[in-house]
Structure formats: C-alpha cells, structure tokens
Amino acid sequence: MLRQLEGSQAVARAVTLCRPQVIAAYPISPQTHIVESLSDRVRTGELEACEYMMVESEFGAMSACIGASGAGVRTYTATSSQGLLFMAEALFNASGLGLPIVMTVANRAIGAPINIWNDHSDAMSMRDSGWIQLYADSNQSAVDLHVQAYRLAESLSVPVMVCMDGFILTHAFEEVDLPEQEQVDAFLPRFRPQQALDPDDPLTIGAMVGPEAFAEVKYLMHVKQMAALDEIPMIADDFREAFGRASGGLLQPYRVEGAETVVVALGSVLGTIEDVVDTMRDEGVAVGVLGITCFRPWPVDEVREALRGAQRVVVVEKAFAVGAGGIVGQNVRDAVRGSPVQVYDVVAGLGGRPITRASLRGLLDDVLADRVDPGRLYFLDLDHELVQRELERARHGERPGPHAENMLRALGTVASGAYE
Amino acid sequence: MAFQEIKLYQTGTFVAGNRLLDPEQRSVQARTGRSNSITSGHRACRGCGEALGARYVLDAAMRATEGKLVAVNSTGCLEVFSTPYPESSWQLPWLHSLFGNGPAVAAGVAAALRAQGREDIRVVGQAGDGGTVDIGFGTLSGLFERNDDVLFVCYDNEGYMNTGVQRSGATPPAATTANTKALGDHPGNVFGQGKSVPLIAMAHEIPYVATATVAELRDLEYKVEKAMTFRGARYLHVFVPCPLGWGADSADTVRLARLAKETGLFPVFEAEGGTLTEVSRIRTQVPVEDYLRPQRRYAHLFGDHPRPDIVARLQAKADRNIVRFGLLPEGDE
Ligand SMILES: Cc1ncc(C[n+]2csc(CCOP(=O)(O)OP(=O)(O)O)c2C)c(N)n1
Ligand code: SF4
Ligand SMILES: [Mg+2]
C-alpha cells in the first residue's frame, strides 16, 4: 500500500510487520522516532507477543538483545552515533556468538565535537564488528532492507545492521510502499534459532576459547559473511518475486555501462549523484554511479566487475579514517587492484553538511580536468580559509584553547560582521 | 522414616546431620536427586568459595524451579574455570556474554521467555563482585528499576580475582591487592565510604534482597529457594572467600566466611520491598583480628611494623554494622 510517511514511521511499520518478540532500545537522535513508534505499537497491541524493554543504555540494549536472541526469539534494536559506540563491545559479542539480531543505525556523526547530524562515521567505525551492514538510499529501500535483513540474519545466524541516513531519511516524508502482513509472513518464515537456551536441551553458549580453536571460530564467522554474498542476491530475487519491486542486493549500479568515470557512494546521497550523472550524460560525459548497498561483507568481486570499464573511480564517502584516508576508498582500491584505474578518495557531508549537486558537479569537473590529485584525500567543500586561520592562531597562541569553539567564533564574526 | 538409600557426595556443612532428617527437610545437596548444575572437574582453585557458592545456589534454584532454569554469567573466575573449551561444567542452559552486561543479558532472556509465554522457566544471573558492583552496576540498577524477573547473584570475593587480584569496589579497606599493595603511608586499599550493593538494591525497593555466606550453606539454599518464590528482580549477595586472592589456606574458606559474619564485618540479612525483614544474629562477637590474621592480604597490619590503628578502624567498621543491623542477640546490644 502506498503511503506518505516519515522514514522513521515507515521503518517502525516494517519492523512491526517482521514480528520481533523482544525490542530493547535507548533513545538517541535521530533514531528516536523509530523506537517511540515501536513502543506505541507494542502498547496498543498492534505488535503482539512482543516485549519492549526500556533499558538504561545502549550497552544494555544490545546486551538484552543478546540475551533474548540467545533465548531463541527474534529481536530488534536501533541506535545512532554515540549509542552505537556505547554498544561496541556487545556488537562484537553478538556477532561472535552468531546471534541474528537486526538493528537500525540512523547514521549520525560522532563527537567530539558533539553533532547530531548525518554522516557515516558511526557505522563505519563498526565495519569490522562482524555485523552485516546494509545501507539504504531511500525510505523505500530502508523498509525493504529491514524485511530482507531478518531473512538474511536468520538464515545465516549473523547479526545485520540496516543503516539509513539520520534526518535525511529518518525524518523525511516520502511515499513508501508498505508490504502487507501476509506478504511479509510468507516471505519471512518463523524464526528457528540455530542455538537456544532450553532446559530440555541445555547448551553452554559463550565458553572461553584459547589458541587451539579461536582462529577457527573466527574463520567460520568469515565463511558465513562470504556466504552472505551469495545469500543477499538470492533474497533480493525472492523479494522482487514476492513484492514486485527490486530492492536490496549487493550493489546498485546506475548508468555504469560505458562510463569512464564512476562515482561510488552509499546511502541517500546516491539520489543526488544520480541527478548529476543524468545531467552530465545528457551533455555526453560518460559518467555513472555505483551504489554500495552491502558494505559488509565487502563484495570485492562484484565491485571489480562493476568497475571493469572505468578509468576513474571517485569514491564519495561520509566518513574517513583520520590519519589514513578513505574507508570505502581503501576497499574499492582493493577491488580494482592490478587494473590501471585511478581511485579518488573524497570526504563529503561530514556532520550534516549538505552534499549539493553543484558541489558534486564541481568535483567531477575538477576530476575530469585533472585538477584533483588522486594520491591525496580530498575534502569536498572544505573551508580552507577557516582552517588556515585557526592553524595560524594555534601556532602563535600561548594557550590557543579548543579549536571547535574558536572556529565557530570565527564563523560568527564573519557572519555578523560585528567585529574586525 | 522409611528406609532411604544414602549416597555420599562431597558436600558442605550440616550434611551428615541431614541424613538423620526427614527427606523433605534435607538440604538440596544432601539429596540424591540434586541437579549437579556445576559438575566437578572444573578448574577452580582448591577451596574456592565461589565454586562452592555457585554450586549451592544453582542446585537450590534448580530444585525450586523443578529444573526449569537458565543461567547467565558475567566474565570472571566462575565463567573461566567452568568453561575451558571444549569442556563445560554446566548441566543447565548457560550463557556468557561480557564482563559488564550480565544483568542486561539476563533481563533479555527473561523478556524472551515472557514473550514466548514460558514464564515457567526462570532466570538466574551471576557475576563476581567486579561484574556486579563496578562494571555491571549500571545494567544491574536498570534490571532492579524495571523489576525484571531475574534472580541476580553476586559472588563477592572482594576483588578482581580472574585478572590477578586487583582491587574492586567491594575490596575492604586496608586489604592489599595487586594494585593496592602495602606501600606508602596508607598501605592496602583506601578507607572509603564503602559500597554496599545489597543496601543499594534495597533502595530500589525490589521484592527480595538477601546476603549470605558459604559458611551457612543451608541458609544460602533457603534464601535461594525463598527468592524463587517471588517474581520480579531479586538480589542475592554471597560472601565467598578466595584462598588465592586473600592469601588464605584452602581449608579456611568456610572458617573465614563464618568469621566475616561473626565479627560483624559482613552482615547477613534479608529484605523485602526495601525493608529489612530478618538479620542473622551473631552468637558471640569475634574480634576482627581473628578474621584478619589468617589472611596474607592483611599481613602488613601485624608483622614487624604492626598497625593497631588500622585494625581499630576495621573493628569500628564491624561495630558499626552490629549496631546498624542489630546483629547481636536481643538484649546483648
Ligand atoms: C570490559 C572488560 N574490562 C576488563 C575485563 C577484564 N576482566 C575480566 S574478569 C575481571 C575481574 C572479575 O572480577 P569479579 O567480577 O569480581 O569476578 P572474580 O574473578 O573475582 O570472581 C576483569 C577485570 C574484561 N573482560 N572486560
Ligand atoms: S582465584 Fe579465587 S575465585 Fe578464582 S578460582 Fe581461585 S579461589 Fe576461586
Ligand atoms: Mg571478585
């Protein structure tokens, strides 16, 4: 059924359709609307036979999901940013134990400086936590990915994170096609746990493992993630058959046929990039976009294949490894290793800075005109003047104080024109 | 009394006496049908109070629930010595996740059982003092506040034993540990405000809070069985000497546990809904010195440079407990 809905409401409805039995969550913007809505649905009985746990922290939320999943029920949680980091230890534990928990990450920047707006540094920081990571590019894809995530998680007994851009998606009203309950029930079989705490068949879960088998346990985690590379496209095929629309899968190529330059990105910025690509294609420039839906496991062969014809690959990402470079970019470089393609690492949209069509167009023009050095991390729309001024000040000041406050003050001065 | 076939097991106090009792009155450990939730062969040190405590707690809980029990364990000695891969000492469903999240994991298990309509299966969470009073405290308080249907048991050996005997929030003043050595002007752990999680649990007004020691195992079983008659959050704090960490003789575990109580250093009581309901009285108050001397962690108080001043402060602590909890027999106070 087509409806005009806020992204968070759409996701809450999709999760409800998946019939989780335990939800444990702790509020943090921009995840709040999702879990508030789920709390309502449990209270009104719309979501039956479900326990909603008001936990004391995100660490408690993930831990409660670990307990509930270990007891053999379908579980759900959602978080963002600081909350995801607060869960970090439990995230690795959930994946190590092979518990098929599904979690929404409403992507938000990580402080300091504290910032509630969107980027991908939260989810990217947990890329090696053993969770599968799927990135939604629209609210429709967020809805569909949640339904697919449960199927995937439970078929392999691995936890899955569905990432959706905070505010840009969670708080945006869009038309969404919500599946019917019967459709979801048919697509998503009842949860049959691979391990469960059961007095009739007592298992020890979470035993200590030393050097004699630790590597083997970890290897099996990797094997399962590799299996997900086969499973995800199959689930997407089944989904198309059942719901009549394409959604999910590993990658989302757009006009990459014959493209000499391909932009690689994740999440909601893909829409903007596609618009830019359309314009440039109309002008006869051979550009395309490769959207990454599944970032973990990393579909290295599929990415290599998708980028086969390209000469330049521009990776636009909303996070970076401080002191090293691009994160997605590194993975892309791994995929195209041995081929002569140039990979550009572009950091954009940090802390909620809009990534505009004009900026993207400017970037691509610069890349095509060889004005960007592919060997260097490139920051889109960086205020170089502001940075220089602060560096200068810090160099001379005895006790220069916090950068963030200084830069904000500098910006305020510029904006008001009241001083100087 | 009808003829009963008796099988002797390695068990604790009062067991031999149990054989003369009516079967219904015997301790859980004295019954041939006890569940043996934690089997022998685990890797605990000789004389480990925690192993003894866990065995009594879980077997009593198993009996109270007719075997419908799930255990959640935080990281610590108990977890490590019971599950050296690929062996497991656990004969009941058992889940270990992390050091600081035992209470939340247990709450999640309870929620899952409720969602499935399986409230006949009960949940016990267990951790050391570190996993309870320090790193797991936030999740424990959350469990209390939500009144989740979990019995949480703290095995208090007054330190982080699993990592090599460091100080915890439950380490008593003056005790030496690996990071509170007898160095400087204030040897051993500092004199602080103390951190009584049983009292903090009572402040949450949960249905049942009790303390116990491994010296009075029948009392421990009784408290576990009683705890299982309540629904909601329950807390049991068990005093479990650690021969390795305390520098005590393995044969002294039960004796030290008894002395901790008889000195007044460890008050044994029960509370319901935040109100004290029972205290286990001391027959004759024992001076703290009798308790401190057999433990190497207090050796610096007695050797060549004795510190009677510090012993006096510890005595004052015990005396305060005696007044505060009314630990002496009525009329003796
Ligand atoms: C987050 C985290 N910090 C530290 C540790 C290391 N660690 C494991 S067990 C333990 C101490 C356990 O002390 P306690 O809970 O009192 O149990 P005990 O071993 O004394 O029975 C510590 C510090 C850990 N596993 N996880
Ligand atoms: S160190 Fe202490 S708590 Fe740990 S097994 Fe040995 S005696 Fe038991
Ligand atoms: Mg301890």
Side-chain angles (χ1 to χ4, degrees):
Chain A
M1 190 178 25
L2 280 176
R3 311 188 59 143
Q4 194 71 21
L5 281 175
E6 189 207 33
S8 299
Q9 300 300 323
V11 166
R13 283 170 197 246
V15 170
T16 302
L17 292 168
C18 295
R19 303 184 191 274
Q21 291 155 287
V22 170
I23 297 173
Y26 190 82
I28 180 168
S29 298
Q31 150 265 35
T32 44
H33 292 185
I34 300 173
V35 294
E36 287 163 8
S37 172
L38 283 165
S39 164
D40 292 351
R41 284 164 212 282
V42 172
R43 275 165 189 262
T44 58
E46 182 193 333
L47 177 47
E48 293 170 314
C50 177
E51 293 289 322
Y52 187 107
M53 297 178 69
M54 309 274 178
V55 282
E56 70 296 321
S57 69
E58 286 86 356
F59 180 62
M62 184 46 61
S63 301
C65 286
I66 288 170
S69 189
V73 304
R74 188 172 284 166
T75 57
Y76 175 78
T77 187
T79 192
S80 298
S81 177
Q82 317 295 134
L84 187 70
L85 294 203
F86 207 53
M87 280 182 185
E89 191 193 9
L91 291 181
F92 282 74
N93 189 254
S95 62
L97 292 173
L99 297 173
I101 300 162
V102 170
M103 168 166 64
T104 311
V105 176
N107 296 112
R108 162 182 154 179
I110 293 173
I114 190 164
N115 172 303
I116 64 166
W117 308 107
N118 168 246
D119 70 30
H120 289 166
S121 33
D122 52 4
M124 283 297 160
S125 76
M126 292 298 130
R127 65 190 178 276
D128 300 328
S129 62
W131 283 60
I132 286 175
Q133 288 195 336
L134 307 176
Y135 286 78
D137 69 329
S138 65
N139 285 339
Q140 185 66 59
S141 109
V143 163
D144 298 346
L145 285 180
H146 278 88
V147 178
Q148 297 188 30
Y150 273 108
R151 182 93 171 244
L152 176 65
E154 290 167 12
S155 73
L156 295 170
S157 212
V158 290
V160 179
M161 228 180 256
V162 179
C163 304
M164 65 190 291
D165 286 317
F167 293 110
I168 299 172
L169 292 180
T170 55
H171 288 54
F173 281 75
E174 277 187 349
E175 188 164 78
V176 173
D177 192 355
L178 274 177
E180 300 298 330
Q181 184 68 64
E182 306 75 59
Q183 285 178 296
V184 176
D185 287 346
F187 180 78
L188 188 60
R190 254 183 66 116
F191 177 36
R192 309 257 293 300
Q194 291 188 8
Q195 52 183 353
L197 298 164
D198 176 1
D200 292 332
D201 180 17
L203 292 179
T204 291
I205 305 176
M208 181 157 197
V209 178
E212 63 278 28
F214 188 80
E216 284 70 19
V217 175
K218 289 285 160 185
Y219 177 78
L220 280 182
M221 284 173 70
H222 187 63
V223 165
K224 277 205 220 172
Q225 290 247 345
M226 293 299 104
L229 291 174
D230 297 328
E231 194 74 13
I232 290 168
M234 286 194 296
I235 290 175
D237 285 348
D238 283 359
F239 187 90
R240 188 174 349 97
E241 209 141 284
F243 298 90
R245 65 176 167 272
S247 215
L250 299 170
L251 302 175
Q252 203 181 319
Y254 181 78
R255 303 187 81 166
V256 289
E257 314 77 39
E260 289 163 7
T261 303
V262 177
V263 182
V264 173
L266 313 84
S268 63
V269 73
L270 284 169
T272 320
I273 301 174
E274 285 169 12
D275 285 351
V276 174
V277 163
D278 284 344
T279 314
M280 292 177 77
R281 280 279 187 174
D282 289 349
E283 294 167 13
V285 189
V287 293
V289 196
L290 181 64
I292 310 284
T293 307
C294 172
F295 182 63
R296 282 292 180 272
W298 175 239
V300 67
D301 294 334
E302 290 78 2
V303 171
R304 179 181 303 120
E305 192 51 40
L307 297 177
R308 189 173 290 284
Q311 289 154 19
R312 291 183 161 105
V313 175
V314 183
V315 184
V316 176
E317 50 181 314
K318 294 184 176 181
F320 72 109
V322 181
I327 298 168
V328 182
Q330 268 309 337
N331 286 263
V332 168
R333 233 175 242 112
D334 210 25
V336 299
R337 198 164 27 186
S339 85
V341 59
Q342 283 290 13
V343 179
Y344 299 77
D345 285 331
V346 179
V347 183
L350 294 186
R353 179 164 299 178
I355 304 178
T356 63
R357 270 187 296 185
S359 297
L360 287 166
R361 178 64 201 255
L363 167 72
L364 290 177
D365 287 346
D366 284 348
V367 165
L368 290 170
D370 283 329
R371 286 191 293 264
V372 177
D373 178 358
R376 295 217 161 199
L377 188 62
Y378 182 89
F379 286 80
L380 189 66
D381 291 341
L382 188 75
D383 188 339
H384 287 279
E385 199 194 312
L386 183 65
V387 171
Q388 282 311 325
R389 227 185 310 165
E390 177 60 11
L391 283 176
E392 194 62 24
R393 222 185 47 76
R395 210 169 292 136
H396 297 303
E398 175 99 320
R399 192 174 166 187
H403 288 314
E405 282 74 358
N406 289 330
M407 293 208 259
L408 279 179
R409 201 172 301 125
L411 276 181
T413 309
V414 170
S416 68
Y419 304 98
E420 264 182 329
Chain B
M1 196 175 98
F3 172 74
Q4 289 279 319
E5 197 180 329
I6 301 292
K7 236 174 140 182
L8 278 180
Y9 290 88
Q10 172 211 342
T11 44
T13 347
F14 301 132
V15 173
N18 267 317
R19 281 189 292 152
L20 306 175
L21 289 173
D22 194 63
E24 268 317 293
Q25 291 177 332
R26 285 183 199 168
S27 79
V28 176
Q29 290 296 322
R31 290 165 210 257
T32 50
R34 76 190 161 94
S35 55
N36 247 329
S37 312
I38 173 168
T39 58
S40 52
H42 56 68
R43 313 285 176 86
C45 308
R46 195 158 57 124
C48 174
E50 192 161 279
L52 180 61
R55 169 200 184 104
Y56 273 73
V57 165
L58 290 174
D59 282 352
M62 281 289 268
R63 183 174 130 84
T65 58
E66 291 170 353
K68 291 181 182 162
L69 191 69
V70 173
V72 170
N73 217 127
S74 301
T75 311
C77 267
L78 177 59
E79 166 263 329
V80 171
F81 72 60
S82 63
T83 62
Y85 178 88
E87 297 160 13
S88 169
S89 297
W90 302 104
Q91 309 233 58
L92 79 173
W94 182 91
L95 172 63
H96 161 248
S97 171
L98 297 168
F99 184 25
N101 71 354
V105 174
V109 172
L113 293 170
R114 198 160 55 239
Q116 292 169 297
R118 289 304 308 268
E119 281 136 305
D120 54 321
I121 304 175
R122 310 295 299 276
V123 185
V124 169
Q126 42 183 6
D129 48 295
T132 306
V133 319
D134 291 337
I135 199 167
F137 184 66
T139 56
L140 183 68
S141 174
L143 177 141
F144 290 163
E145 175 271 321
R146 290 187 303 269
N147 201 24
D148 294 317
D149 189 24
V150 171
L151 167 61
F152 203 85
V153 185
C154 169
Y155 300 107
D156 182 5
N157 52 23
E158 304 190 327
Y160 298 152
M161 300 319 179
N162 184 51
T163 35
V165 195
Q166 295 84 13
R167 173 208 187 271
S168 82
T171 300
T176 54
T177 65
N179 56 3
T180 57
K181 299 211 174 79
L183 300 170
D185 293 340
H186 304 284
N189 192 29
V190 292
F191 276 83
Q193 309 299 313
K195 185 170 182 177
S196 167
V197 171
L199 292 180
I200 296 171
M202 283 168 63
H204 288 72
E205 303 194 355
I206 57 174
Y208 185 68
V209 173
T211 65
T213 77
V214 287
E216 277 151 8
L217 291 162
R218 194 74 186 88
D219 179 63
L220 176 59
E221 284 183 343
Y222 157 79
K223 283 169 177 166
V224 171
E225 288 184 52
K226 179 151 176 197
M228 295 324 270
T229 65
F230 293 88
R231 287 280 170 180
R234 290 141 291 141
Y235 180 69
L236 180 59
H237 192 102
V238 191
F239 187 84
V240 293
C242 164
L244 183 99
W246 296 6
D249 196 302
S250 293
D252 273 348
T253 294
V254 168
R255 183 166 79 100
L256 286 175
R258 181 165 296 119
L259 285 170
K261 185 202 150 191
E262 301 286 315
T263 50
L265 283 171
F266 186 82
V268 176
F269 59 86
E270 287 177 280
E272 291 178 30
T275 306
L276 203 66
T277 52
E278 281 299 333
V279 295
S280 182
R281 292 180 196 270
I282 296 172
R283 268 166 260 174
T284 15
Q285 190 188 351
V286 178
V288 293
E289 198 173 325
D290 291 10
Y291 167 74
L292 303 174
R293 274 193 183 272
Q295 305 181 50
R296 209 162 47 241
R297 61 176 173 158
Y298 295 113
H300 60 287
L301 303 182
F302 302 105
D304 293 340
H305 306 283
R307 292 295 302 263
D309 55 325
I310 296 179
V311 175
R313 285 182 81 177
L314 292 169
Q315 184 62 54
K317 207 165 119 67
D319 294 345
R320 179 164 183 266
N321 277 342
I322 284 175
V323 174
R324 187 174 186 190
F325 291 92
L327 296 178
L328 288 180
E330 248 137 328
D332 278 19
E333 279 148 69

